[in-house]
Amino acid sequence: MDVYETLLVRELDGVLEIRMNRPEVLNALNRTLKLELQSAMKAAARGRQVRVVLLSAEGRGFCAGQDLRDEETDGRRSIGESLRTLYNPLVEAMLGMPKPIVAAVQGVAAGAGMSLALAADMRLMGEGATFVAAFSRIGLVPDSGLSYMLPRLVGLGRAMEIAMLAQPIGAVEAERLGLSNHVFPDGELHEAALDFCRRLADGPAQALGLTKKALQRGLELPLRQALEYEAALQELAGHAGEYVEGVAAFKEKRKPVYKTGD
Ligand code: LHQ
């Protein structure tokens, strides 16, 4: 297992937990944390034993966005360059990873911290958690994929309000808007997130990876091409051991057992 300065990473039963670990600044994203998140996500994509990724955070906040005390924000550096080299590859690694990524959000997820949570495939929140699209508060525009993910999740009109007014959105409201899949009592969030991930890890890993691609592409493609894309992915899935096992389990009236490499 790689050793990181700003992350705690552990793998158990196919679930790789990537835990941001700068609690004293609510996991604000300095250069090291961004680079380490990039490499941890890339390692997760490669790792044959990794079936699901859990993105979590140490301390009372999920992530306060860009570290505003880091040298990148001293006004002399190009923000565009910082996004291109440090944030965008991370967002692409997450959206492109053929494995489910679940974010467990406790406390505040602000600015690029909110973007990171939205780049996960599913979000679970603690009751006291909030999203704040903090960009407009400091005179910036949404970045790190927020302008891409937010309207897809909540629709254009709501996305405009969330991005422009930057009001905190509590967990219950986030669930209502479709920003959160489920809300748990704060003290139970981590265990509930691990349970949720274990359920995904018990599933057919290849089929779930293809499902992620199908749903992402389904938002982009015209109907004819979306149907064709589904058919091509189903052809792939239908030639894999997971399908054989799934059908065998159905006939034998038992739970299917999917293993890495099926
Ligand atoms: C922080 C931060 C932080 C450093 C709390 N940095 N220390 C991309 C590319 C390049 C440039 C710019 O931006 C971007 C994208 C973005 O992410 S823009 C958005 C950047 N983030 C923000 O504007 C959020 C700033 N933080 C806050 O508004 C508050 O801290 C929130 C609402 C997140 C939490 O408030 P509280 O719960 O009251 O906590 P706090 O403010 O007391 O923070 C606790 C500590 O964490 C504190 O340190 P201290 O030494 O005073 O105890 C803060 O200074 C530190 N911290 N956010 N982004």
Side-chain angles (χ1 to χ4, degrees):
M1 192 67 70
D2 297 313
V3 176
Y4 297 99
E5 192 184 312
T6 58
L7 295 177
L8 301 169
V9 178
R10 63 172 187 177
E11 193 263 322
L12 192 64
D13 299 333
V15 178
L16 184 86
E17 180 170 4
I18 301 176
R19 195 169 182 81
M20 294 179 277
N21 189 26
R22 301 190 72 218
E24 65 287 356
V25 286
L26 308 178
N27 300 301
L29 295 149
N30 65 358
R31 185 180 171 80
T32 308
L33 178 52
K34 283 174 278 193
L35 287 172
E36 290 192 342
L37 279 169
Q38 269 186 40
S39 61
M41 287 295 170
K42 284 176 189 160
R46 284 192 308 270
R48 275 180 57 76
Q49 75 289 359
V50 178
R51 299 166 77 85
V52 178
V53 174
L54 173 60
L55 177 62
S56 66
E58 193 68 18
R60 72 172 174 91
F62 178 75
C63 176
Q66 168 67 30
D67 187 328
L68 297 175
R69 295 205 177 83
D70 207 33
E71 55 193 22
E72 284 164 71
T73 47
D74 66 6
R76 285 175 293 146
R77 312 262 173 142
S78 154
I79 300 185
E81 229 12 66
S82 156
L83 289 168
R84 287 185 195 101
T85 54
L86 295 168
Y87 282 98
N88 297 358
L90 172 58
V91 171
E92 285 186 310
M94 291 174 72
L95 288 169
M97 190 188 311
K99 301 176 184 186
I101 304 178
V102 176
V105 182
Q106 90 278 1
V108 67
M114 176 172 175
S115 309
L116 272 193
L118 300 196
D121 301 306
M122 289 158 269
R123 281 148 296 282
L124 309 177
M125 291 176 84
E127 280 170 343
T130 51
F131 284 126
V132 188
F135 309 91
S136 66
R137 289 188 177 184
I138 56 168
L140 290 179
V141 300
D143 66 24
S144 317
L146 191 119
S147 67
Y148 182 89
M149 291 307 302
L150 190 61
R152 284 172 165 74
L153 288 165
V154 302
L156 196 52
R158 284 182 171 136
M160 292 283 182
E161 180 178 334
I162 291 168
M164 290 183 181
L165 291 182
Q167 292 294 315
I169 302 167
V172 172
E173 174 71 349
E175 189 178 27
R176 192 184 69 80
L177 291 171
L179 287 173
S180 171
N181 291 67
H182 303 284
V183 179
F184 298 97
D186 289 321
E188 293 168 23
L189 175 67
H190 188 243
E191 202 40 56
L194 285 172
D195 276 352
F196 190 84
C197 288
R198 282 186 209 112
R199 280 166 56 204
L200 290 165
D202 282 344
Q206 180 185 311
L208 299 193
L210 297 178
T211 299
K212 175 168 172 173
K213 284 182 180 221
L215 296 178
Q216 286 174 339
R217 294 296 297 279
L219 276 177
E220 315 286 339
L221 294 172
L223 176 64
R224 172 86 43 96
Q225 287 172 43
L227 289 171
E228 180 45 43
Y229 191 63
E230 278 181 350
L233 293 183
Q234 203 65 295
E235 189 71 32
L236 267 178
H239 283 102
E242 291 174 348
Y243 176 51
V244 175
E245 167 61 9
V247 174
F250 172 77
K251 290 182 183 160
E252 293 160 22
K253 298 188 185 296
R254 62 173 173 82
K255 236 181 127 223
V257 180
Y258 299 111
K259 299 192 197 75
T260 310
D262 273 351

